[in-house]
Amino acid sequence: MTVTLSRTQRRFVLPESDLPTHYYNIAADLPVPLPPPLHPATREPIGPEALAPLFPMALIAQEVSTERAIEIPEEVREAYRIYRPSPLHRALGLEKLLDTPARIYFKNEGVSPAGSHKPNTAIAQAYYNREAGVTKLVTETGAGQWGSALSFACSLFGLEAKVFMVKVSFEQKPYRRSFIQSFGATVVPSPSDETNAGRAILAADPDSSGSLGIAISEAIEVAATREDTNYSLGSVLNHVLLHQTVIGEEAILQMEMAGDKPDVVIGCAGGGSNFAGIAFPFMRERLQGRADTRFVAVEPASCPSLTRGEYRYDFGDTAGTTPLLKMHTLGNDFRPAPIHAGGLRYHGMAPMVSHLYELGLLEAKAYEQNACFDAAIQFTRSEGLIPAPESSHAIRAAIDEALDAREAGEERVILFNLSGHGFFDMAAYDAYLAGGLTDVGYDSGQPPA
Amino acid sequence: MTVTLSRTQRRFVLPESDLPTHYYNIAADLPVPLPPPLHPATREPIGPEALAPLFPMALIAQEVSTERAIEIPEEVREAYRIYRPSPLHRALGLEKLLDTPARIYFKNEGVSPAGSHKPNTAIAQAYYNREAGVTKLVTETGAGQWGSALSFACSLFGLEAKVFMVKVSFEQKPYRRSFIQSFGATVVPSPSDETNAGRAILAADPDSSGSLGIAISEAIEVAATREDTNYSLGSVLNHVLLHQTVIGEEAILQMEMAGDKPDVVIGCAGGGSNFAGIAFPFMRERLQGRADTRFVAVEPASCPSLTRGEYRYDFGDTAGTTPLLKMHTLGNDFRPAPIHAGGLRYHGMAPMVSHLYELGLLEAKAYEQNACFDAAIQFTRSEGLIPAPESSHAIRAAIDEALDAREAGEERVILFNLSGHGFFDMAAYDAYLAGGLTDVGYDSGQPPA
């Protein structure tokens, strides 16, 4: 490169007028259609009515749509404008640190009010529910990111929000709890005595510290039994991934501003929504024959659904109350080790991401957490941003691509999604800096009995 | 207003090319010059040499300069571009909530890596020190904001950083400590056994929980006694306020984008630097006769240096080791009550802000903390952002202006500085939401003996 550091643009910001007007629905461009969800008893494809007790019809329609471009309602765009378009950064400091000929870019979703990409779908879900006359949304949260996003979105649209928070997180993460409460939401430690599911658990084990599976069961029970209340999910489903495509649509324009095209697009993958959000719009270019971009989904070694799971029909929740979804899964009763990247501790992968993996459109990698925190600290000290432990997986993969490019002497263009900041995860950094993290691996999880 | 909510622009973002090229030095436009700092023994004005053991000559020159525009070095601008220009927001949600004809804007300094305006000066100070051959900076931190900013800046410029952190904060705020450590800085609980000052305190009281005054004494001692080490201060001094004027320079361009001119500019004021940063460039317009903007500095009722302090020469630190500064002061041994807005707990006000107050160019207001947290929660739920407790003072004043405008039926244009986010202050929100804050007042502080 002949340009000097100081003459190179560092952030690419779009005007509000470039906020996307449509979500991109990758279902329109699939060479093979996505296998449908099945009823657990009949194993027949389920119809929209099966989801109607939980979701408004507009979201159910998006879940099964094959329309390529789905218009974003004006009120949703208005709310997005609180933090979108989000910036795209050129990681000049990291490039210098790695002494690589690669050019590294990242999309910064940490600028949202909740500190991650989650509000992109929370806002849309709150809007469509309010339009359908729903007055209350109920959900579960583990690490707290999704509960934060939904409580923020509900406060904007005048909905009540109730969040079942896994009891151990409720007790260990009081700041995430008070963050959610600051937006006016009710937070209930799960298991609770507010539902049959919770009461049954408490009867058997009054000291239960809860699990995401139990919290989901409680939230679904409340939504299914109350007319004015719906359920809301933060990842996995098609409509959730759809809402996240605003990330990639903006990034395409910003990469054009930068005069570069990504050779590889990277995202961490738990349920799959932030990966889908950055990747799908770029994948459209590849599916339509205009680019040969590579895509890399990065997961924790301790919860490796894509790299070690089976591709088969499985339940979305632990209790087995959801329809069956065709996905890469470690088994719906797999209990991943308690790594710090709580948002990546999900037994399955989004059906759409799983399907594209089977079609050979993306690669998958798994890393241990110390390797990810090493990368996070390199990033922090060269770029000034403390990433969420989840996002550190994408950073690890991006750094490895950049080191590989140095080895090969290639000017590789790398784009990754910084899904969130780590300001609520300092306890994890504290443990890492004190040398206290262990690499737990897949086998440390508790596989299905 | 005839425009609907959804057609009104919500954020005003500047391209990198609009990043300020110069700091604005208000000393050039003063009708009466600023009273100089005095030597405590002779009470004669001190010369630059008195500050040379602590600061590089470039910063000392800025401290006494009367040049109107001071060029920002290219490397400093390169570092600013990690997060600057920062966005200006129209608070449409808050306006709607308050049902006011006022138009409310705020500048968002919470987007910086440290989460506040502090890096604007930390970056400049790290740069000038590195240029002067200094390899290590030492400072103190109370709540942790300044330590975070300086450690970030030092990591960018390859300097070592040592932060004396008040011991009670070190123990109560482990996340701010690990945030600082993530950037590679050394954090030492103060009082420590690394300095004479610290050892003396510990000899008298081995269980001392420390104070900002003690931490300053330790940091100054280290800097004064080591050739390769300088001291760095995060507020109060002229050169610190100067560096913050990038906030107001950007805001002027952004208000032009919005097609509005502020009738009133508001900032919270502890040492005075974020208030100066947003206010001084707009004050230039008033000093030069082109505008009649009002300016409001907002302080906590428990530490009311402008509204209740005396205007006289006083020490900048508790131990009385600094030159004498002419400022509004509660007395250098005043110990403010432990309110949550730790960044506003300073006994004095920046000499430049104090001088302008005496000249009648700004108003001052003081609020109790419950009133500020009430305002913060209204802001959070309507705008989606959780403010720092310090910034909530500016929000309280902005809301009161907007309510006053509603009463008067006026289309008042209000601009305030959101000096930082509150992600590290959730314990304070937790206490507030649980009804646990007390309004402590001035008299609860411990005035000079």
Side-chain angles (χ1 to χ4, degrees), chain A residues 37-113:
Chain A
L38 303 182
H39 190 282
T42 66
R43 296 191 74 92
E44 292 294 320
I46 58 163
E49 72 289 348
L51 298 172
L54 300 182
F55 303 111
M57 284 314 295
L59 290 177
I60 297 172
Q62 290 182 354
E63 188 64 22
V64 298
S65 171
T66 53
E67 197 185 340
R68 180 169 289 112
I70 294 179
E71 192 168 6
I72 306 175
E74 190 49 42
E75 273 193 83
V76 171
R77 298 181 77 234
E78 169 65 18
Y80 281 164
R81 282 151 57 193
I82 290 176
Y83 64 100
R84 304 206 74 83
S86 69
L88 181 96
H89 300 240
R90 171 87 181 269
L92 290 170
L94 184 61
E95 291 173 19
K96 195 175 161 193
L97 180 73
L98 300 174
D99 190 25
T100 177
R103 294 191 290 284
I104 308 174
Y105 297 86
F106 64 93
K107 181 74 168 161
N108 186 359
E109 291 295 306
V111 299
S112 86

Side-chain angles (χ1 to χ4, degrees), chain B residues 24-35 68 283-284 286-288 352 355-361:
Chain B
Y24 167 57
N25 183 8
I26 200 166
D29 290 312
L30 294 175
V32 181
L34 183 72
R68 181 170 289 112
M283 216 176 264
R284 171 182 58 212
R286 177 160 153 186
L287 285 163
Q288 297 181 359
M352 187 63 83
H355 183 61
L356 293 162
Y357 185 56
E358 288 298 308
L359 294 176
L361 281 153

Side-chain angles (χ1 to χ4, degrees), chain A residues 5-16 74-75 78-87 89 92 110-115 152 155-156 172 174-185 377 380-386 421-424 426-430 433, chain B residues 5-16 74-75 78-87 89 92 110-115 152 155-156 172 174-185 377 380-386 421-424 426-430 433:
Chain A
L5 199 66
S6 60
R7 283 189 219 135
T8 306
Q9 193 166 344
R10 192 148 199 166
R11 280 193 313 155
F12 302 88
V13 287
L14 297 170
E16 272 188 23
E74 190 49 42
E75 273 193 83
E78 169 65 18
Y80 281 164
R81 282 151 57 193
I82 290 176
Y83 64 100
R84 304 206 74 83
S86 69
H89 300 240
L92 290 170
V111 299
S112 86
F152 155 61
S155 82
L156 288 184
Q172 286 179 354
Y175 299 156
R176 266 293 173 195
R177 170 178 52 71
S178 38
F179 186 95
I180 296 169
Q181 289 170 329
S182 297
F183 285 102
I377 288 291
T380 294
R381 294 184 186 172
S382 57
E383 293 296 321
L385 297 169
I386 295 200
H421 64 63
F423 297 154
F424 286 99
M426 294 315 300
Y429 281 91
D430 212 28
L433 292 167
Chain B
L5 199 65
S6 60
R7 282 189 220 135
T8 308
Q9 193 167 344
R10 191 147 198 166
R11 280 193 312 154
F12 301 88
V13 288
L14 296 171
E16 272 188 22
E74 189 49 40
E75 274 194 81
E78 169 64 19
Y80 282 164
R81 282 152 56 194
I82 290 177
Y83 64 99
R84 305 207 73 84
S86 69
H89 299 239
L92 290 171
V111 299
S112 88
F152 155 62
S155 83
L156 290 184
Q172 287 178 353
Y175 299 155
R176 266 292 174 197
R177 170 178 52 72
S178 37
F179 185 96
I180 296 169
Q181 290 170 329
S182 297
F183 285 101
I377 289 290
T380 294
R381 295 185 185 171
S382 56
E383 292 296 320
L385 297 169
I386 294 197
H421 64 61
F423 297 155
F424 287 99
M426 294 314 302
Y429 281 92
D430 213 28
L433 292 168

Side-chain angles (χ1 to χ4, degrees), chain A residues 113-138:
Chain A
S116 77
H117 64 295
K118 294 286 186 188
N120 298 332
T121 185
I123 287 169
Q125 292 190 45
Y127 167 80
Y128 286 115
N129 274 289
R130 195 208 57 191
E131 287 297 285
V134 169
T135 58
K136 191 166 179 177
L137 286 179
V138 60

Side-chain angles (χ1 to χ4, degrees), chain A residues 27-319:
Chain A
D29 289 313
L30 294 176
V32 180
L34 183 72
L38 303 182
H39 190 282
T42 66
R43 296 191 74 92
E44 292 294 320
I46 58 163
E49 72 289 348
L51 298 172
L54 300 182
F55 303 111
M57 284 314 295
L59 290 177
I60 297 172
Q62 290 182 354
E63 188 64 22
V64 298
S65 171
T66 53
E67 197 185 340
R68 180 169 289 112
I70 294 179
E71 192 168 6
I72 306 175
E74 190 49 42
E75 273 193 83
V76 171
R77 298 181 77 234
E78 169 65 18
Y80 281 164
R81 282 151 57 193
I82 290 176
Y83 64 100
R84 304 206 74 83
S86 69
L88 181 96
H89 300 240
R90 171 87 181 269
L92 290 170
L94 184 61
E95 291 173 19
K96 195 175 161 193
L97 180 73
L98 300 174
D99 190 25
T100 177
R103 294 191 290 284
I104 308 174
Y105 297 86
F106 64 93
K107 181 74 168 161
N108 186 359
E109 291 295 306
V111 299
S112 86
S116 77
H117 64 295
K118 294 286 186 188
N120 298 332
T121 185
I123 287 169
Q125 292 190 45
Y127 167 80
Y128 286 115
N129 274 289
R130 195 208 57 191
E131 287 297 285
V134 169
T135 58
K136 191 166 179 177
L137 286 179
V138 60
T139 195
E140 71 287 330
T141 202
Q145 278 283 9
W146 172 242
S148 300
L150 195 70
S151 60
F152 155 61
C154 284
S155 82
L156 288 184
F157 287 97
L159 298 177
E160 277 184 73
K162 174 178 278 204
V163 180
F164 285 95
M165 187 168 188
V166 177
K167 195 187 275 173
V168 62
S169 297
F170 182 90
E171 286 162 358
Q172 286 179 354
K173 298 200 163 189
Y175 299 156
R176 266 293 173 195
R177 170 178 52 71
S178 38
F179 186 95
I180 296 169
Q181 289 170 329
S182 297
F183 285 102
T186 305
V187 186
V188 181
S190 166
S192 78
D193 60 5
E194 296 194 15
T195 64
N196 291 329
R199 285 187 292 267
I201 298 284
L202 289 172
D205 177 9
D207 296 326
S208 167
S209 60
S211 74
L212 204 53
I214 296 167
I216 292 177
S217 302
E218 292 208 89
I220 287 182
E221 181 181 324
V222 169
T225 54
R226 294 192 201 163
E227 195 61 45
D228 61 348
T229 302
N230 265 351
Y231 174 66
S232 190
L233 191 68
S235 190
V236 179
L237 299 180
N238 295 337
H239 70 272
V240 179
L241 275 53
L242 176 80
H243 301 153
Q244 294 294 352
T245 58
V246 292
I247 302 172
E249 293 290 10
E250 289 176 7
I252 286 176
L253 299 180
Q254 289 164 312
M255 289 302 296
E256 280 169 13
M257 284 173 79
D260 252 336
K261 265 182 182 278
D263 294 308
V264 56
V265 174
I266 299 168
C268 64
S273 78
N274 98 82
F275 170 77
I278 187 119
F280 285 5
F282 286 98
M283 216 176 264
R284 171 182 57 211
E285 309 302 302
R286 176 159 154 188
L287 286 163
Q288 297 181 358
R290 287 193 297 273
D292 56 358
T293 319
R294 292 166 50 224
F295 299 90
V296 182
V298 192
E299 51 189 20
S302 58
C303 195
S305 56
L306 278 176
T307 52
R308 301 275 299 265
E310 289 180 79
Y311 185 53
R312 62 173 170 86
Y313 273 100
D314 195 8
F315 291 102
D317 68 334
T318 308

